[in-house]
Structures are given as C-alpha cells and as structure tokens.
Amino acid sequence: MERKVGTISRGIRCPIIREGDNLAEIVVDSVLDAAESEGFEIRDRDVISVTESVVARAQGNYASIDAIAEDVRVKLGGETIGVIFPILSRNRFSICLKGIARGAKKVVLMLSYPSDEVGNSLVSLDQVDEAGINPYSDVLDLKRYRELFGENKHPFTGVDYVSYYCQLIEEQGAEVQVVFANNPREILNHTRKVLTCDIHSRMRTKRILKEAGAEVVCGMDDILNAPVDGSGCNEKYGLLGSNKSTEDTIKLFPRDCMDLVNDIQKNVLDRTGKHVEVMVYGDGAFKDPVGKIWELADPVVSVANTEGLEGTPNEVKLKYLADNDFKDLSGEALKNAVSQRIKEKKSDLVGDMASQGTTPRRLTDLIGSLCDLTSGSGDKGTPVILVQGYFDNYTN
C-alpha cells in the first residue's frame, strides 16, 4: 500500500542525564524502547538528534562565575573594560555578566539599540522614529536614554534589562557606565580593552576594533576556551552557547561531540542493521514574527553531525511543475508526470527554475530547527528527537 505520511518528528523521552552517564547507550536504548512501545520501525536515513544540553551535562562541562572572573581578569587586565553588544537574556548572559563584572573594577556596558543581535528589543522602532534618533549614528548615555524612552520592559520577560544588567554589575563590586550605540568604535572613547559579546557578527566586530586601535580585544569565544582552575571549557566557542545552571554556575556548550554521534550511529547499525544519521543540535534558526526574536543564540545549530547530514536539499517545487510544465495534466497523469520528473532530477538543481522557492539552507540547520521546535526548552522531557522520512520525496 502506498505510504500516506511524509516526515515525522518524534520527541523521545529519556532518563534524566547526569555527569558521567553513557549517553550513547542511553540514547539508543531510549529510541529503540520508544519504537517498540509505539509500534514503529527504525529505517535507513532516519535522523537521531540529541540536544546539546544533555551532552554537556553528561560531559560535566560546567564553570563557575569565579572561573569566568579569573579568565576575564587575566585577559583584559582587571581594571576598566568595555562589554559590548550582549544579548538581553537572563538565561544566556546574566550569569556570564556576573563573572565578567567580578573580573573588573569598572564595566562600560555598551548596548546595541533598538534591539540586540537576536531581536530582543530595548525600545521599538516606532519609539526611535518618534524620538528623531538615528540608531546607526547617534550615541546615547543612560540619562539621555531615560529622557527619551523611560523604562522599557521586555514584552515576554517583563524585565527592564538596562536596570537588570546594571544591578548585576554593581552587585559584583564593579562600577558601571552604560552607553547605547551600534558602532563598535564608540567603546574606544571609554576604554581600549574590550570584550565583545555578539555571537554571529563577532569576527567583524573584533576586526573593526583591532583596526581602530583597541589595545585588547576578546570575544565571548575567547573566555573559558581553556580550563581555569579545573573548570569546564569550550576550546572553539568559549562562553558562547552557555546557559545558566545555578545562580553562580553556567553549563557550557558541549565539547568533542563527533565520537558521540559516530558511536550512536554504529550502535544503531549493530542492533538494527539500519544506517541512521545523527546530530547534536542547539538552538534552531527561525524568527518569531510577533516578538521579532531570532531564536539562534547558540553559535551554531549543529554542534556535530554524521557525514550524511552535510549539504543542502536538492528538491524540485511540486507546485511549479504542476502550474507550468504539466499545467494541462490532472489526476493520475499529473501524478505520474511529476513523479517521473523527480526521479530524473539532476544531482545539482542550482539555477533550475523548477527548484525555485525550495529552502536554500543547510540540512543541519533545517533539521536542527525542526528538532528544537519539537523538543522545546521546558518540561517535555524529550531531549532526543527521531526524525523519519525527511529524505523521502513524492515518489517514495
């Protein structure tokens, strides 16, 4: 009988993961137990995805704010430092900011406006327009910001992040000065030692600051990129991708995940005879149309993945074929014609009009976004996602 279902994304419930657990074994056991319980079969080219959070937990990749403070002190001098372009997040940045402030005597906090890099708004574009402010060129101090915009609470969290971040810095014994600007060079009017906290634009920001004469430039990826007094670390991403664990510790992005994805792939092959693909995923890459927040606060969507997940989709657009090439066909004749065109499609459809409108993104970003939406970030208890039928098409 012809299959009537395409892609399926299933959240797989797992035990609570603790440091030192054999994660590969837990993941495979959980997926196969779910298959038996729900009556489905594992197929070739299924995708098993594991959220980065449980990988880091199994690795024990944690650090304290004292470790952050020590690294900041060593790398930026421990006096006045510029902290520029942080995202507005209690989960992602507040604990990092505690450690950063503890490692300095004064923090010049420079916030981008009207929103941060991932879309969290300090003020709305309408407010900026009404005030006659050009965010690309105008620099505001805290007094002027309050005169123009008053107190602005985040629409989802109810937090005034300007006050919140100032309070966190002062609680660590550091003096704080707030600047609102979008040109990274502005910070050099206040200090020549800078920690840039942007995520996806960090390389450009570092380049601009170095060319403008900064004495020391570090990114979040340069802090805790090696252990400090036995702490966790991430050699590639440092503090990027970290999350709040407790009030004085963070969970870092996981390290060295290729062995894990390969072990899971091999384990499934040994136990089922099926060749699956595996990835460790972080935030998905999508934008909330209401809050205007771009979800991707991790440095990448895929931390690690098996080889079969490299590349981009190579698909034709069914509605294009139906409305153009086969506009005079219908019913079974249309189905057969479209199916034949799919079977005959080239291995590279770049530039082919029949592929226009298909999503030109990497497979890992697409599948990782699907997995992040399926698992959520709350109490679903499904840190593993099984995606089936993703590589099927109309002919399967």
Side-chain angles (χ1 to χ4, degrees):
M1 180 179 178
E2 181 182 8
R3 267 171 50 193
K4 297 295 184 181
V5 177
T7 300
I8 299 170
S9 179
R10 288 185 171 92
I12 305 298
R13 289 185 176 171
C14 298
I16 302 296
I17 306 300
R18 297 291 191 188
E19 181 177 351
D21 284 349
N22 185 333
L23 189 56
E25 183 177 294
I26 290 172
V27 168
V28 176
D29 285 346
S30 298
V31 170
L32 297 185
D33 287 348
E36 182 178 0
S37 171
E38 297 297 316
F40 61 86
E41 295 182 352
I42 304 300
R43 304 172 187 155
D44 287 323
R45 299 217 77 188
D46 284 355
V47 181
I48 297 174
S49 296
V50 187
T51 181
E52 58 83 19
S53 177
V54 296
V55 179
R57 290 178 67 187
Q59 293 176 346
N61 201 19
Y62 293 87
S64 69
I65 60 175
D66 284 334
I68 299 173
E70 179 60 23
D71 215 20
V72 168
R73 192 177 296 113
V74 168
K75 291 175 178 175
L76 289 141
E79 297 293 328
T80 299
I81 65 172
V83 176
I84 72 171
F85 302 155
I87 64 172
L88 307 176
S89 172
R90 295 169 298 174
N91 175 44
R92 289 288 188 172
F93 189 71
S94 65
I95 306 303
C96 293
L97 182 57
K98 283 186 180 182
I100 293 165
R102 189 173 290 188
K105 291 183 179 178
K106 179 179 178 179
V107 171
V108 182
L109 180 66
M110 194 169 93
L111 301 172
S112 55
Y113 77 99
S115 65
D116 69 10
E117 178 185 6
V118 296
N120 293 294
S121 295
L122 280 175
V123 295
S124 69
L125 284 170
D126 288 336
Q127 287 176 289
V128 170
D129 291 343
E130 290 168 6
I133 295 296
N134 182 347
Y136 296 103
S137 60
D138 292 343
V139 178
L140 310 177
D141 60 15
L142 182 57
K143 181 175 182 294
R144 182 61 174 153
Y145 170 83
R146 290 300 189 197
E147 288 173 351
L148 289 170
F149 305 118
E151 181 183 66
N152 289 276
K153 294 184 177 180
H154 191 282
F156 291 167
T157 66
V159 174
D160 181 318
Y161 278 96
V162 177
S163 296
Y164 178 51
Y165 280 1
C166 287
Q167 179 184 342
L168 288 178
I169 293 168
E170 291 171 342
E171 286 175 350
Q172 300 307 313
E175 181 185 349
V176 60
Q177 176 186 350
V178 184
V179 179
F180 300 85
N182 290 303
N183 185 338
R185 299 175 185 86
E186 172 60 27
I187 196 64
L188 301 181
N189 293 320
H190 306 275
T191 177
R192 314 296 285 185
K193 297 182 178 181
V194 186
L195 174 62
T196 180
C197 301
D198 46 346
I199 305 163
H200 307 289
S201 55
R202 64 187 183 276
M203 300 309 294
R204 176 176 181 268
T205 303
K206 288 181 185 181
R207 174 181 57 78
I208 289 171
L209 289 168
K210 290 175 182 177
E211 291 174 351
E215 181 181 340
V216 179
V217 179
C218 291
M220 292 273 280
D221 52 335
D222 300 309
I223 305 300
L224 288 190
N225 57 359
V228 174
D229 298 328
S231 74
C233 70
N234 190 294
E235 294 84 352
K236 186 174 184 179
Y237 296 118
L239 289 177
L240 292 177
S242 62
N243 295 87
K244 178 179 180 179
S245 177
T246 70
E247 291 302 325
D248 58 4
T249 59
I250 59 168
K251 176 199 66 60
L252 294 155
F253 220 41
R255 308 164 64 191
D256 305 325
C257 297
M258 281 306 302
D259 284 347
L260 174 67
V261 297
N262 288 328
D263 286 349
I264 292 172
Q265 185 182 59
K266 182 179 184 303
N267 198 329
V268 172
L269 182 63
D270 290 344
R271 294 176 64 176
T272 69
K274 302 298 181 182
H275 181 89
V276 300
E277 304 297 343
V278 185
M279 69 182 293
V280 175
Y281 68 97
D283 275 345
F286 46 83
K287 186 172 182 176
D288 170 14
V290 176
K292 313 301 181 186
I293 299 168
W294 184 38
E295 176 70 10
L296 186 56
D298 284 326
V300 290
V301 175
S302 174
V303 186
N305 53 268
T306 49
E307 186 177 356
L309 294 179
E310 294 296 331
T312 58
N314 190 59
E315 301 171 344
V316 293
K317 197 79 169 178
L318 295 190
K319 66 181 181 182
Y320 179 89
L321 295 177
D323 292 346
N324 291 272
D325 295 30
F326 307 123
K327 61 184 179 181
D328 297 324
L329 301 179
S330 61
E332 193 68 19
L334 175 60
K335 176 184 176 181
N336 291 337
V338 169
S339 297
Q340 189 62 33
R341 177 63 63 86
I342 292 172
K343 292 175 181 177
E344 295 173 350
K345 69 182 178 182
K346 296 179 293 185
S347 59
D348 184 358
L349 290 169
V350 173
D352 190 321
M353 282 304 297
S355 71
Q356 301 301 301
T358 58
T359 308
R361 289 167 57 189
R362 294 184 301 180
L363 290 167
T364 50
D365 293 337
L366 291 163
I367 297 171
S369 298
L370 171 63
C371 293
D372 189 33
L373 285 166
T374 303
S375 61
S377 58
D379 58 7
K380 294 189 187 326
T382 55
V384 174
I385 306 298
L386 175 66
V387 179
Q388 297 190 293
Y390 191 86
F391 295 101
D392 289 354
N393 60 43
Y394 188 60
T395 69
N396 297 118

